[in-house]
Every structure is written in C-alpha cells, then in structure tokens.
Amino acid sequence: MGEFELIRQYFMPLARLHGPHSLLVGPGDDCAIQQVPSGSDLVFSIDTLVVGVHFPLSYRPDYLGWRSLAVAASDLAAMGADPTCFTLALTLPEADEVWLRDFAFGLGKAAESFGLVLAGGDTTRGPLALSLQVHGLVPHGAAIRRSGARPGDLIVVSGTLGDAGAALDYLEALSPSTDEEFVLERYHHPEPRLTLGVALRSLATAAIDVSDGLLADLGHILEASSVGASIERARLPVSPALKRLKGLAAQDYALHSGDDYELCATIPEASWAGAPSSLKQQLTVIGVIESARGLRLDGAAVGSEADAVGFDHFRRKS
Ligand SMILES: [Mg+2]
C-alpha cells in the first residue's frame, strides 16, 4: 500500500467523526473552509513535536497521537475556546503501516473526545515530526487572555498538579505499581480542560494551561498582566497517588513540573463567591494576585529565573 493510500485509510475517517460543526470543506480540496459565525472570533494555535527533541523514537504511536492533540487542544482550553477542527502536518521517515495505524487510532480517540474534526493536512518524507494546528471559536472579545489579572483576583488551578512530572521517573518501569500507573496515565493521556475553559470565560480575568510547570506558567500571567502574586504551598492540589509516591516532595512536583495540562486562572473574589458550586469543585484557590510585582511562595520571594523555569523532563529524557 502506498503512502497516499495509507494516509487516506487511516486519517480520512478523522475528518468525519462528528455531526454539526463549522467546517464547510474538509480534506480533499486545496484548502479547508471553516465558517466563522458572525459575532465569533477564531482562536488558533500550532504545536510542533520532533522525534528526539520532544519524544523518543520508541514512544508508543497511539500515545503520541493522543498526547500531541491533547497538548495542542489545551491551548484552546486556556483561551476558553470551543474546539472546532485541526490540521496535521506529518513528516515520516517511511510509510510504516503499523505505526500509522496506531498513531491514527490514538489521534482519532483524542479528536472524538475533544470535539475536533480533522480539516486537512500534509505529509512529507523525512525525520519523524508532526505539527498540529487547532482551531476554536469564542464569542467576539470573550477569549481569556493572559493579560487581564488584577490585584485582589484569586488564583485557582484545576485538578491536581505534579502527577505527569512525577511519571517521568517511572517511564521505564516494567511492572508499575497502582500509584505509578496513575501518574503514568496522567502523563500519557492528558485531558485538556476544554469544558472548564468555556465555563471560565465569564469568570476569569486571565488563564493559562500548565504545560511548563505552575511557577513558570503563572509567571507568564504575572508578566503579561504587570502584577505580582502570593501563593501557598499547603494549598496546592496534589493527588493521593503523588503524595504516596513522593511524600513531602509532592508539592515541589506541583510547583515545578509540567505536562499536567491543568488550567491556572485568575478570578475576581466577587465572581468566585457567586460561581456555581459545580465549577468551584473543579478548582482550588492557591493564592491571590497583588500589585507588588514578583511571585511569593509562603511569603518568600520566588526570585531566580531557575525557580521559575519548568522541569522540561520530556526533552531531558529523549
Ligand atoms: Mg499554553
């Protein structure tokens, strides 16, 4: 089977997984056409992953398919966008049918789960690399940006932090324990908080997804908003599994390690007080935005650049 047929067989099904969406023309023409409803803004972002830089050659292709789309879709969640469609540019050393089938399987599961239709793509021969561009829609002017945080806003995070970072210690484990399996699953199959992002649209003044680590990513909000913040270590949400695996160091993983793809947002106190409890249950208040620049952890300045940079284990491992 030729490369073109392989792509056709494995990727075309991803172009028709869903019912109504804003895609007028999908793969098969020179361009895809997406209708942008009047009163909506188109939100889009691209991510590139290169073998040996972002993932090892031995990484399971079905996991890679899920993870690559999840990571891209997480940026839509951070902006509060409703996901619509994506394009894929795939560079392959050879048309390996088993690899392509498994990659498309993981990618397809993610696409269905996140509500993203494949709008088109391109394939080229060369060292394994993939670029995914994701599209989403928001009501005009309603996208959550990094620059809106104001003194007095509460800082919240979704889910638990540090699990995916800890998972890197167990990637080679032959028979992982239940707790190790829990954090590994968090790493291999991140869940972009798309529904939560949309719910935050009317509440949050700023948001970002935690890809590089809480300190680094919260730092981006502070920078863009020209504010500072105080957060408390004891408030950081960590999973029972991470606590059991890492003990007192669990909070360090929550602060520094990335790859969790949870959301960090800032919400005015009055909005938080009036927020539905179903939303509050998904979020933990970890601190407050302040006018004094810089980030304070339990009152002590988190000063150096090194403290604010995420671990970036994935690159180190490969
Ligand atoms: Mg991001």
Side-chain angles (χ1 to χ4, degrees), residues 22 24 34-42 137-142:
S22 55
L24 299 178
Q34 180 179 7
Q35 183 172 30
V36 180
S38 68
S40 290
D41 293 338
L42 178 65
L137 294 169
V138 294
H140 176 58

Side-chain angles (χ1 to χ4, degrees), residues 127-152:
L128 182 60
L130 47 154
S131 293
L132 293 98
Q133 173 152 324
V134 288
H135 285 198
L137 294 169
V138 294
H140 176 58
I144 314 167
R145 300 178 57 180
R146 296 179 181 179
S147 54
R150 295 293 172 260

Side-chain angles (χ1 to χ4, degrees), residues 192-205:
R193 301 299 178 197
L194 290 156
T195 311
L196 179 62
V198 170
L200 284 172
R201 231 155 43 191
S202 56
L203 288 173
T205 49

Side-chain angles (χ1 to χ4, degrees), residues 54-104:
H54 301 102
F55 62 94
L57 184 60
S58 60
Y59 196 61
R60 270 180 64 158
D62 54 338
Y63 288 4
L64 181 65
W66 176 286
R67 207 169 176 282
S68 56
L69 191 60
V71 167
S74 179
D75 285 326
L76 293 178
M79 304 293 286
D82 286 298
T84 57
C85 59
F86 71 105
T87 54
L88 167 70
L90 188 58
T91 306
L92 288 168
E94 57 184 336
D96 177 339
E97 181 164 356
V98 174
W99 191 94
L100 271 173
R101 185 197 61 205
D102 290 351
F103 173 75

Side-chain angles (χ1 to χ4, degrees), residues 78-246:
M79 304 293 286
D82 286 298
T84 57
C85 59
F86 71 105
T87 54
L88 167 70
L90 188 58
T91 306
L92 288 168
E94 57 184 336
D96 177 339
E97 181 164 356
V98 174
W99 191 94
L100 271 173
R101 185 197 61 205
D102 290 351
F103 173 75
F105 175 75
L107 185 69
K109 274 206 306 189
E112 193 170 11
S113 174
F114 310 153
L116 284 162
V117 182
L118 184 65
D122 186 29
T123 56
T124 318
R125 191 153 298 212
L128 182 60
L130 47 154
S131 293
L132 293 98
Q133 173 152 324
V134 288
H135 285 198
L137 294 169
V138 294
H140 176 58
I144 314 167
R145 300 178 57 180
R146 296 179 181 179
S147 54
R150 295 293 172 260
D153 288 355
L154 300 175
I155 303 164
V156 300
V157 293
S158 65
T160 58
L161 296 175
D163 297 318
L168 296 165
D169 297 339
Y170 312 113
L171 282 179
E172 315 295 333
L174 294 177
S175 51
S177 69
T178 309
D179 287 338
E180 289 167 0
E181 255 173 30
F182 173 84
V183 296
L184 282 166
E185 181 60 14
R186 292 269 290 154
Y187 176 78
H188 293 308
H189 294 108
E191 292 276 354
R193 301 299 178 197
L194 290 156
T195 311
L196 179 62
V198 170
L200 284 172
R201 231 155 43 191
S202 56
L203 288 173
T205 49
I208 193 167
D209 61 320
V210 182
S211 55
D212 296 333
L214 177 67
L215 291 185
D217 290 315
L218 176 57
H220 293 314
I221 288 184
L222 303 185
E223 180 90 27
S225 300
S226 304
V227 292
S230 283
I231 59 173
E232 292 174 39
R233 179 180 286 266
R235 288 178 177 246
L236 297 171
V238 293
S239 67
L242 184 65
K243 243 182 261 180
R244 284 190 294 265
L245 287 170
K246 298 297 182 187

